[in-house]
Amino acid sequence: MDITYEDPDTSDENELVDHVVRTLAEDSGVLRSRHGDRLVILYGRGVAAIEVAPRGAVL
């Protein structure tokens, strides 16, 4: 599943990816993301890989 994560307050892609990795590495890490028009909540224990695409981080 491709899930897009964006943070309008962050303009640096590396900083955004670091935030995603730090959040999901925590035992209680949770990210609010988007899959199309749907809100998707990701829990750190359910993520096996992160791919960075030109349009942003794809989890």
Side-chain angles (χ1 to χ4, degrees):
M1 178 186 313
D2 288 345
I3 298 171
T4 303
Y5 178 78
E6 297 177 1
D7 184 353
D9 297 331
T10 305
S11 59
D12 181 26
E13 183 179 283
N14 290 327
E15 185 179 326
L16 182 67
V17 172
D18 286 345
H19 169 71
V20 168
V21 171
R22 278 193 314 271
T23 300
L24 295 177
E26 297 175 7
D27 286 339
S28 61
V30 176
L31 274 180
R32 294 171 58 102
S33 312
R34 287 259 170 234
H35 178 66
D37 292 336
R38 296 178 180 169
L39 174 63
V40 177
I41 308 300
L42 290 177
Y43 296 93
R45 296 176 191 225
V47 175
I50 297 173
E51 171 188 344
V52 178
R55 66 177 190 266
V58 178
L59 311 176

